[in-house]
């Protein structure tokens, strides 16, 4: 029961919920809206736009035309009259960034959103967005949502320094690398067809090769990291969550529990700090 899981998270002190229009074609926003009924003002609510929401080629992207239409759809599905944080899910190569930022700035002035952010933007586009905001008198992206985990550390080189320079919040996603850093996948036999990592790989690229060098390396690293976590007296899941939160440029990390038990486990590492 997703509503029960969300309520448990809120009762445990979590006050930020992130979703997106494209998650299950709007169903995720509807579930969140149902869960937040009578509790909306106690939550910082974030959602995203960009991905295709229909067969029409105009029902996606970062154009003004789509943004002003899709924000109304998200507001309706979420059952709210404002969104705290509205994020563009990916950089739109087909739309001038100034057009996107202008439309989002207008939504802030209209009171439909409180602020806006980016997701998976490269460092040069983050810098460009701040140049545009300054030169054109627009509001700026207040945060970035990148992929970050022990297995995915590319953002440490340029993205995190850029966000830190401009005072942007950083909300990282997939800190457990899609399940790899839970300790559940340590040998080839663990990679069953219905497992999270296999389903995720097939969803992203349409295939999954358990004999590939990348998969073999991940299995080796997962085993090595589990030993490190055991020596530290914590679980691999907790160590992996603490790792991303230790970076001074990271504001928070998005968790994605699928069960009540997974949520309870993740809540247990909220105050964990790794030794220097």
């Amino acid at each position: 029961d997703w509503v029960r899981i969300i309520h448990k998270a809120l009762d445990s002190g979590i006050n930020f919920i992130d979703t997106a229009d494209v998650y299950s074609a709007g169903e995720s926003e509807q579930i969140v809206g149902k869960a937040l009924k009578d509790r909306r003002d106690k939550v910082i609510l974030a959602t995203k736009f960009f991905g295709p929401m229909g067969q029409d080629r105009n029902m996606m992207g970062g154009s003004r035309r789509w943004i002003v239409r899709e924000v109304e759809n998200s507001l309706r599905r979420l059952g709210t009259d404002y969104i705290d944080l509205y994020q563009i899910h990916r950089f739109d190569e087909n739309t001038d960034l100034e057009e996107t930022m202008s439309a989002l700035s207008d939504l802030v002035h209209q009171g439909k959103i409180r602020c806006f952010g980016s997701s998976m933007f490269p460092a040069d586009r983050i810098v460009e967005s701040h140049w545009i905001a300054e030169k054109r008198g627009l509001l700026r992206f207040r945060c970035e949502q990148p992929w970050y985990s022990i297995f995915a550390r590319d953002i440490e080189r340029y993205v995190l320094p850029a966000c830190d320079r401009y005072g942007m919040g950083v909300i990282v996603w997939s800190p457990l690398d899609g399940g790899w850093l839970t300790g559940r996948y340590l040998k080839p036999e663990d990679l069953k067809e219905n497992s999270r990592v296999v389903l995720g790989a097939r969803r992203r690229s349409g295939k999954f090769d358990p004999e590939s060098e990348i998969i073999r390396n991940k299995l080796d690293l997962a085993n090595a990291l589990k030993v490190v976590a055991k020596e530290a007296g914590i679980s691999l899941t907790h160590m992996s969550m603490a790792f991303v939160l230790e970076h001074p440029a990271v504001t928070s990390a998005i968790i994605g529990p699928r069960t009540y038990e997974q949520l309870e486990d993740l809540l247990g590492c909220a105050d964990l700090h790794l030794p220097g």
Side-chain angles (χ1 to χ4, degrees):
D1 186 348
W2 292 111
V3 171
R4 178 170 170 260
I5 291 175
I6 292 174
H7 284 174
K8 169 64 177 178
L10 298 179
D11 293 339
S12 300
I14 289 178
N15 65 350
F16 175 82
I17 295 180
D18 176 82
T19 183
D21 57 358
V22 76
Y23 296 162
S24 300
E27 185 179 2
S28 176
E29 287 185 328
Q30 292 174 342
I31 292 171
V32 170
K34 180 180 178 182
L36 294 185
K37 187 177 181 180
D38 302 325
R39 307 180 75 162
R40 171 67 184 91
D41 291 337
K42 298 180 180 180
V43 175
I44 298 171
L45 179 58
T47 192
K48 299 182 284 292
F49 68 93
F50 175 79
M53 291 296 290
Q55 297 301 316
D56 187 334
R57 62 186 297 177
N58 292 312
M59 296 175 66
M60 63 177 297
S63 69
R64 173 178 287 274
R65 181 182 187 275
W66 177 238
I67 290 171
V68 298
R69 176 181 173 184
E70 184 59 1
V71 72
E72 299 293 345
N73 293 331
S74 285
L75 287 168
R76 184 185 68 256
R77 288 188 292 259
L78 290 165
T80 183
D81 56 3
Y82 71 98
I83 294 166
D84 293 293
L85 174 60
Y86 200 40
Q87 304 153 103
I88 181 167
H89 217 150
R90 296 291 187 273
F91 179 74
D92 187 354
E93 298 284 354
N94 299 312
T95 304
D96 286 341
L97 187 53
E98 181 179 341
E99 177 181 340
T100 300
M101 296 179 67
S102 175
L104 291 169
S105 294
D106 287 347
L107 293 183
V108 174
H109 297 316
Q110 294 165 13
K112 293 180 180 179
I113 66 175
R114 297 294 188 255
C115 63
F116 55 87
S118 57
S119 177
M120 294 297 287
F121 269 36
D124 62 321
R125 297 301 188 181
I126 291 173
V127 175
E128 180 186 358
S129 75
H130 287 276
W131 183 92
I132 291 172
E134 179 181 351
K135 297 298 182 182
R136 304 305 184 200
L138 300 173
L139 299 178
R140 63 190 183 94
F141 286 121
R142 301 310 301 266
C143 61
E144 159 65 13
Q145 188 176 135
W147 179 17
Y148 187 42
S149 74
I150 296 176
F151 281 176
R153 301 179 59 182
D154 289 351
I155 65 169
E156 292 177 350
R157 191 171 186 183
Y158 297 120
V159 171
L160 289 181
C163 291
D164 186 52
R165 178 181 179 183
Y166 289 102
M168 294 175 65
V170 177
I171 308 164
V172 302
W173 61 274
S174 199
L176 300 179
D177 202 69
W180 276 105
L181 293 168
T182 61
R184 294 179 58 192
Y185 307 103
L186 301 173
K187 51 188 183 299
E189 305 87 81
D190 297 330
L191 303 173
K192 297 178 171 46
E193 281 297 314
N194 63 344
S195 64
R196 187 171 186 175
V197 296
V198 174
L199 293 175
R202 294 196 187 284
R203 183 174 62 252
R204 288 188 298 271
S205 62
K207 61 181 180 179
F208 178 82
D209 181 7
E211 300 300 323
S212 69
E213 183 178 357
I214 292 177
I215 299 302
R216 292 200 304 270
N217 286 341
K218 281 196 169 186
L219 288 172
D220 291 341
L221 288 170
N223 278 279
L225 288 168
K226 189 166 186 179
V227 172
V228 173
K230 184 177 181 180
E231 291 175 349
I234 55 179
S235 69
L236 178 55
T237 296
H238 287 194
M239 184 179 77
S240 300
M241 289 296 302
F243 171 85
V244 299
L245 292 172
E246 287 288 346
H247 197 290
V250 171
T251 308
S252 62
I254 294 173
I255 58 173
R258 292 191 297 173
T259 67
Y260 197 83
E261 291 71 29
Q262 288 176 356
L263 172 61
E264 289 185 315
D265 178 49
L266 288 167
L267 290 171
C269 64
D271 299 318
L272 178 65
H273 293 282
L274 298 179

